[in-house]
Amino acid sequence: MAGTADAVAAAKRAAGYQAAEIVEDGMVIGLGTGSTVFYAIESLSGRIREGLSIAGVPTSYQTAMRAREYGIPLTTLDDNPVLDLAIDGADQVDPRFRMIKGRGAALTREKCVASAAFRFVVVVDEAKMVKKLGGIVPVETLPFATKTAIAQLRGLGCRPFIREGVKKDGPVITDNGNFIVDCHFEEIADAAGLEAEMAVIPGVIESGLFTRFTGNTTIIVGNEKKCSVLTSPDVVP
Ligand code: 5RP
């Protein structure tokens, strides 16, 4: 069964459900985007029906719609600029908890919400754990300056492509009204340095490199049988 769609779904479910157990009554939490976070939402929905009182800040329209459907009260960073914790998925996680995110094009709000949280809980299936980050780094760009940003991103050693929609002609438009440029790297030698270099390119809104969430971070790695919980040394249980 390992590697099958059912096994991956079971691994994601295990990780999402375990993350939901960390949530305590009265917390205001960040709700990431994607299929693994969906399982945390599903589990939290059950706990809310049993009396848990929480509010969530969604990182995308998809998550806001799902959370409403599952009875999770929503709030905003305007009303709650500091969050107790944030639960989110990732596309790759390395042994030092550096990550690539953004397959779902929600990376900018995800980074804002993660940075607002005291504790970052990342839920992944075991295939996402890598020795070294590499491959595609999604970058959100301002449409006005995307071509200029692309030229400068190429200078960082990648092959950049504007992400095209599925069931929509032309570029993907993010929830913030921007484009996504998928930057294909043969190798990422210095992920933190690359994140910093991308951040100063005019027209780049945010990159999917998350290299600064290595403190107060918990990675819950699911497989179809169980979860492993990896914690940074400074996590307050
Ligand atoms: C969306 C993301 C997702 O969290 C990431 O792609 C993981 O998604 P999934 O849990 O569906 O594998 O970064 O922008």
Side-chain angles (χ1 to χ4, degrees):
M1 184 179 168
T4 65
D6 282 352
V8 172
K12 289 182 175 197
R13 184 176 188 278
Y17 270 53
Q18 180 125 351
E21 290 306 310
I22 299 171
V23 177
E24 294 171 14
D25 201 46
M27 280 187 168
V28 181
I29 66 170
L31 295 169
T33 295
S35 55
T36 319
V37 168
F38 164 73
Y39 289 111
I41 290 173
E42 185 179 67
S43 175
L44 286 169
S45 171
R47 292 190 60 200
I48 286 170
R49 282 197 302 275
E50 290 163 7
L52 181 77
S53 173
I54 58 165
V57 175
T59 52
S60 62
Y61 289 131
Q62 181 198 56
T63 295
M65 289 159 80
R66 284 178 173 173
R68 282 198 190 93
E69 192 185 332
Y70 280 78
I72 298 180
L74 294 181
T75 182
T76 63
L77 284 183
D78 283 337
D79 288 331
N80 292 279
V82 178
L83 306 174
D84 294 296
L85 65 85
I87 301 174
D88 205 347
D91 303 314
Q92 292 183 10
V93 182
D94 83 2
R96 288 167 59 190
F97 290 11
R98 296 172 303 193
M99 297 161 224
I100 295 178
K101 291 180 45 53
R103 175 208 51 77
L107 56 106
T108 298
R109 294 190 191 197
E110 290 174 334
K111 204 179 272 189
C112 294
V113 163
S115 78
F118 276 117
R119 183 174 175 188
F120 191 29
V121 178
V122 178
V123 286
V124 290
D125 58 278
E126 60 189 353
K128 307 280 188 66
M129 300 304 292
V130 297
K131 288 206 176 76
K132 200 167 179 344
L133 299 180
I136 299 173
V137 178
V139 176
E140 181 161 357
T141 61
L142 190 69
F144 172 78
T146 290
K147 281 294 175 73
T148 306
I150 280 179
Q152 296 185 43
L153 288 165
R154 190 176 287 115
L156 299 178
C158 67
R159 287 177 295 117
F161 298 95
I162 296 175
R163 192 182 293 183
E164 295 280 320
V166 176
K167 296 193 182 175
K168 187 264 179 197
D169 292 342
V172 164
I173 307 296
T174 69
D175 292 359
N176 311 309
N178 297 312
F179 291 171
I180 293 289
V181 177
D182 285 319
C183 297
H184 295 243
F185 284 90
E186 295 297 328
E187 191 195 2
I188 298 176
D190 171 13
L194 182 59
E195 180 179 9
E197 284 184 299
M198 286 178 161
V200 296
I201 295 176
V204 165
I205 308 291
E206 196 49 85
S207 83
L209 281 166
F210 283 50
T211 66
R212 284 153 220 273
F213 295 94
T214 51
N216 272 333
T217 296
T218 300
I219 315 284
I220 302 182
V221 187
N223 70 28
E224 74 260 46
K225 298 202 181 78
K226 61 175 174 48
C227 288
S228 319
V229 179
L230 314 174
T231 49
S232 59
D234 49 358
V235 164
V236 182

